[in-house]
Amino acid sequence: MNGAGDSDEAAYRATLVKRILIGGLVIGTALIVPTLLIAFRAGDLPIVFFDSSIYLAFVAIAALRNLSPRLLTVSLVGLGGILGTFLVFHYKVGGVGDAWMLTAAILATLFFGGTGGITACLIMALVYGGRLLAGSLGLLAWHPDTAAYALHALNVVGLSALSCFAIARLFEWFRISMQRQGSLSRQLRYRQLELEQADQERTLAEKRAEYLESHDRLTRLPNRHSFLKELERALAASERRGKILAVMALGLDRFRRITEVRGSAAGDVIATEAAARLSRSFRLDDVVGRVGDDTFLIFFPDIQDQDDISTIIQKGRRAFDRSFPASGVDLAVSASFGMALYPNDGRKAEDLIRAAESALHIAKDDGAGSCRFFDADLYSRLLDRLSIEHEIGEGVRQGAFEPWYQPKVDCLGRIVGVEALARWNLSGGGLRLPADFIDIAERTGRIMELGKMVLHKACLRAVGWGKAGLPPIPVSVNLSPIQFRSDDLVREIREVILETGLEPSRLDLELTESGLMGDEHDTIEKLAELKAIGIHVSIDDFGTGYSSFAMLKDFPVDTVKLPKSFVEPLPGDIRASMVAEAVIDLAHNLHFSVVAEGVETYDQFSWLDRARCDHYQGYLFSPPVSPREFERVLARGLPAIVQ
Ligand code: C2E
Ligand code: CA
């Protein structure tokens, strides 16, 4: 049994006893006057006295308001019992007395259960026994027929016991069902509470999920999705009020490099600090969001004029004036900016964000700390570049890069070598030229695979020419500075040579000046290793970079390529002629051979020939041609050089 069931039951009993009291009072008040009158007329003074005493006692009990239900019950049972006992003794046979005795027993059962009922019935039996005894001892005027009276008493007590038993059982059943109901309702309440709790938890979880979905976890700033929503709302307001709105895309410069060197934790610290500084820098109605590891978007809903735009860019810059303390050091971090304006650069939130981000992309190309405004032409070029960036990986996987071949000739027009120049075979037919993809490949890191593919294919071709009985000319392959700086360069070249079976002396690697710059020691070491294998090395576009002849003399290279830009103004431009002549002479003095690039006219050729240039390359002899075409050219030679 549990507390809640008990208190329910006790409350029920208390109510019940009060109702019985009220009922008893009403019935007693209604009956007392006729009862007294009848008894008085009959001269039955004990009844008059007793009934009125019991009635008064009853009223007194009812008047005692603070009586506990238990005491009230005892009083009622007691009154019933006393009245019953009196009546049993007073009358010759049972009747009213029996009824009161029975009533008292039932009341006792109701409030004190089976034990109360049994006790009451025993007391009844004693009362009847006492009555019989009193009669037989002559203490009372009337002595009943013992057997008949005993039978009567047994019947009354038996009936009372039966009634009490029935009531006790009924009450027990009632109590159990009350308990059950109580436990059911408790379970129900529990369940309800559980449901309410689950509901609250779900709402909380939903709110949390919603927050996480709409905010950047690290900086707690709106993420792209919620920034877009906020921008949409702000644009609607700008449209109504005819205002200009600016969207700024802000990119942390060299962020990836910082995280590579200092670790991602340092990157997180910088991003968090940048977020805090930006949030502080701008007005409350300017919204800052983080949309990438190193990219923030900010919109400014109320732009009045050009000055406002300068101010916000200045504010953005100022946020990066101070260094960022990360991983125990103070790091200088700068930011680049891309700006787009509503309504000029777009009317929709997505378009404005795209415009600001593409402006940022281009600003980043300009160098750290740059700022660009959206420009539709630049944007379309950016889109081309992005699609190439996207396709280049697939191109590498499919082996779509293949070199074309441009011959190098001597002064008699005989083919003495060939340069392999990468071409991208597009899946829909057609070719893409290196200007469209080499720098992208370098930027995206694809140049390593692409370069290796071209090198491999060029070496295989060169081996094929020898096997086909064609002149075993050397093949020149361009190497990107990124490839040259790779620690694996020499190993990879060795591998290609082994795999293709090309004679190392037939391989010439063309390296740009910028590729050789930087770590001079490493450059010399690598060049020496390549030379040790037997490979030739040429410096491409010599004189267009920053290298000097002083440096050149230390590099173990074989050939210098006179760039097209030097050849183009020949022979008319006296200054250009002097420069070209000086370069050729000096290269010869250092025992390098000279290949002139971009020779397009006979005059250029004959001038270079007079300047004792060693070899020539250019449209005058042949443009780069497909491998099959080059085999034909190699087989029958080039047509004679004509003026
Ligand atoms: P580059 O090494 O200076 O190659 C010479 C470029 O000049 C080639 O352009 C060639 O087609 C072009 N050319 C040759 N003769 C003439 C001429 O008489 N007149 C004119 N106007 N142009 C001439 P291409 O094939 O478009 O290659 C451009 C650049 O792309 C190359 O310049 C080279 O730096 C780079 N490149 C090409 N293939 C590869 C490669 O496999 N790997 C790497 N890293 N770079 C490559
Ligand atoms: Ca070249």
Side-chain angles (χ1 to χ4, degrees):
M1 213 190 293
N2 49 52
D6 284 351
S7 65
D8 282 352
E9 195 184 321
Y12 180 74
R13 282 181 197 277
T15 319
L16 192 62
V17 74
K18 271 186 195 143
R19 289 204 178 138
I20 290 173
L21 183 71
I22 294 164
L25 210 59
V26 172
I27 295 167
T29 308
L31 296 181
I32 191 70
V33 178
T35 306
L36 290 181
L37 274 176
I38 294 165
F40 201 74
R41 273 225 197 119
D44 197 347
L45 288 179
I47 285 290
V48 172
F49 171 74
F50 216 84
D51 268 9
S52 47
S53 309
I54 292 290
Y55 176 71
L56 287 175
F58 202 81
V59 173
I61 289 170
L64 289 174
R65 291 186 159 250
N66 290 337
L67 225 52
S68 72
R70 175 173 280 268
L71 213 58
L72 187 63
T73 313
V74 172
S75 311
L76 289 179
V77 172
L79 278 184
I82 291 167
L83 185 61
T85 307
F86 168 74
L87 294 171
V88 165
F89 274 85
H90 184 68
Y91 291 117
K92 288 178 186 163
V93 283
V96 195
D98 299 341
W100 275 107
M101 297 290 273
L102 178 63
T103 307
I106 287 172
L107 275 176
T109 314
L110 267 179
F111 296 105
F112 303 109
T115 328
I118 291 166
T119 314
C121 288
L122 284 175
I123 293 171
M124 271 176 89
L126 284 176
V127 168
Y128 284 105
R131 170 72 178 86
L132 198 62
L133 193 66
S136 58
L137 292 177
L139 295 175
L140 287 174
W142 176 74
H143 172 59
D145 171 357
T146 309
Y149 193 81
L151 195 67
H152 169 82
L154 277 174
N155 269 306
V156 175
V157 174
L159 265 174
S160 300
L162 199 66
S163 307
C164 290
F165 175 74
I167 286 170
R169 294 303 310 157
L170 202 68
F171 214 87
E172 186 60 20
W173 169 81
F174 171 72
R175 208 164 59 85
I176 289 169
S177 58
M178 284 262 284
Q179 267 177 11
R180 240 182 238 156
Q181 195 188 343
S183 95
L184 269 177
S185 67
R186 257 192 321 282
Q187 276 178 16
L188 213 68
R189 225 174 303 144
Y190 262 163
R191 192 81 201 101
Q192 216 168 345
L193 277 175
E194 270 174 17
L195 283 174
E196 273 169 24
Q197 203 173 336
D199 217 38
Q200 277 174 359
E201 276 167 13
R202 208 190 45 237
T203 319
L204 265 175
E206 274 171 10
K207 280 202 175 130
R208 204 177 136 67
E210 208 176 289
Y211 181 84
L212 287 178
E213 236 170 69
S214 60
H215 286 77
D216 170 50
R217 274 166 210 232
L218 184 68
T219 60
R220 310 256 180 233
L221 290 178
N223 61 13
R224 183 176 292 276
H225 178 73
S226 63
F227 182 87
L228 184 91
K229 293 276 162 250
E230 299 232 20
L231 181 56
E232 275 168 356
R233 273 194 289 275
L235 281 174
S238 295
E239 193 174 0
R240 273 197 311 277
R241 289 186 279 140
K243 295 269 181 188
I244 296 172
L245 181 148
V247 178
M248 175 192 272
L250 184 152
L252 305 176
D253 295 322
R254 289 186 287 267
F255 186 74
R256 197 174 295 169
R257 185 88 192 108
I258 294 173
T259 53
E260 274 167 16
V261 176
R262 303 269 166 199
S264 60
D268 286 355
V269 172
I270 291 170
T272 314
E273 177 63 17
R277 289 188 194 177
L278 289 172
S279 302
R280 280 197 303 267
S281 300
F282 301 115
R283 286 194 210 144
L284 276 179
D285 53 349
D286 303 334
V287 175
V288 184
R290 185 177 184 228
V291 295
D293 286 350
D294 58 353
T295 314
F296 295 87
L297 283 176
I298 307 137
F299 73 74
F300 306 87
D302 199 0
I303 297 289
Q304 307 287 342
D305 50 30
Q306 185 59 43
D307 284 353
D308 282 356
I309 295 174
S310 310
T311 309
I312 57 177
I313 295 171
Q314 263 172 25
K315 280 186 181 174
R317 285 220 161 95
R318 243 180 276 138
F320 294 86
D321 278 354
R322 278 179 297 120
S323 57
F324 287 67
S327 58
V329 282
D330 280 350
L331 294 174
V333 179
S334 63
S336 300
F337 304 85
M339 300 292 301
L341 298 176
Y342 165 85
N344 302 33
D345 301 329
R347 303 189 81 90
K348 285 206 245 147
E350 291 99 333
D351 296 344
L352 282 165
I353 290 176
R354 205 176 305 128
E357 285 185 329
S358 68
L360 171 64
H361 220 95
I362 292 156
K364 284 204 163 191
D365 282 353
D366 294 346
S370 306
C371 177
R372 277 274 190 163
F373 282 78
F374 175 70
D375 172 327
D377 285 349
L378 281 179
Y379 181 56
S380 79
R381 263 184 273 156
L382 179 78
L383 282 187
D384 285 350
R385 217 180 72 189
L386 286 177
S387 80
I388 292 174
E389 264 181 36
H390 180 71
E391 291 162 19
I392 210 162
E394 195 52 34
V396 167
R397 266 192 298 280
Q398 291 173 349
F401 296 91
E402 189 182 26
W404 278 33
Y405 298 91
Q406 185 178 35
K408 296 178 183 181
V409 300
D410 64 9
C411 59
L412 297 174
R414 290 174 302 200
I415 299 174
V416 291
V418 63
E419 180 174 1
L421 293 156
R423 297 292 181 265
W424 183 348
N425 291 318
L426 298 174
S427 49
L431 285 181
R432 211 171 244 157
L433 292 173
D436 292 336
F437 62 83
I438 290 291
D439 68 324
I440 296 175
E442 285 176 341
R443 213 185 300 252
T444 54
R446 293 287 183 186
I447 193 69
M448 300 297 291
E449 301 152 272
L450 191 159
K452 196 172 172 189
M453 188 186 299
V454 171
L455 176 70
H456 199 276
K457 287 186 177 178
C459 291
L460 260 189
R461 283 277 173 207
V463 171
W465 299 327
K467 282 186 187 158
L470 297 168
I473 52 163
V475 63
S476 302
V477 178
N478 293 282
L479 270 199
S480 148
I482 296 173
Q483 283 175 281
F484 185 67
R485 287 277 157 243
S486 153
D487 291 339
D488 295 332
L489 174 82
V490 179
R491 185 181 55 77
E492 283 194 350
I493 287 177
R494 267 209 191 95
E495 263 174 31
V496 172
I497 284 174
L498 269 177
E499 280 164 21
T500 58
L502 182 72
E503 185 63 37
S505 61
R506 286 183 64 202
L507 178 61
D508 172 55
L509 296 177
E510 294 193 6
L511 294 157
T512 56
E513 270 188 57
S514 58
L516 298 173
M517 300 293 288
D519 187 343
E520 203 181 317
H521 179 75
D522 177 64
T523 301
I524 293 175
E525 204 171 289
K526 271 202 184 118
L527 290 176
E529 277 184 79
L530 292 172
K531 295 247 14 132
I533 302 172
I535 293 167
H536 283 241
V537 177
S538 302
I539 299 185
D540 221 352
D541 292 337
F542 183 76
T544 54
Y546 302 96
S547 62
S548 63
F549 283 107
M551 204 184 261
L552 185 65
K553 75 173 175 11
D554 296 328
F555 290 158
V557 293
D558 304 281
T559 305
V560 165
K561 291 191 86 174
L562 196 63
K564 186 158 71 73
S565 56
F566 284 20
V567 173
E568 214 168 8
L570 299 177
D573 189 323
I574 305 292
R575 277 173 168 271
S577 308
M578 283 166 72
V579 171
E581 207 162 6
V583 171
I584 295 167
D585 280 352
L586 208 88
H588 281 157
N589 287 340
L590 292 169
H591 306 291
F592 303 137
S593 64
V594 180
V595 178
E597 280 189 305
V599 183
E600 290 184 347
T601 65
Y602 184 81
D603 288 349
Q604 287 168 344
F605 166 65
S606 67
W607 187 94
L608 288 161
D609 185 31
R610 275 199 305 281
R612 290 207 308 265
C613 186
D614 300 286
H615 297 130
Y616 313 88
Q617 192 181 339
Y619 291 173
L620 178 66
F621 317 103
S622 165
V625 292
S626 69
R628 191 178 296 173
E629 178 59 26
F630 183 69
E631 276 178 20
R632 273 199 288 271
V633 170
L634 197 56
R636 53 166 199 257
L638 288 165
I641 309 161
V642 283
Q643 201 165 352

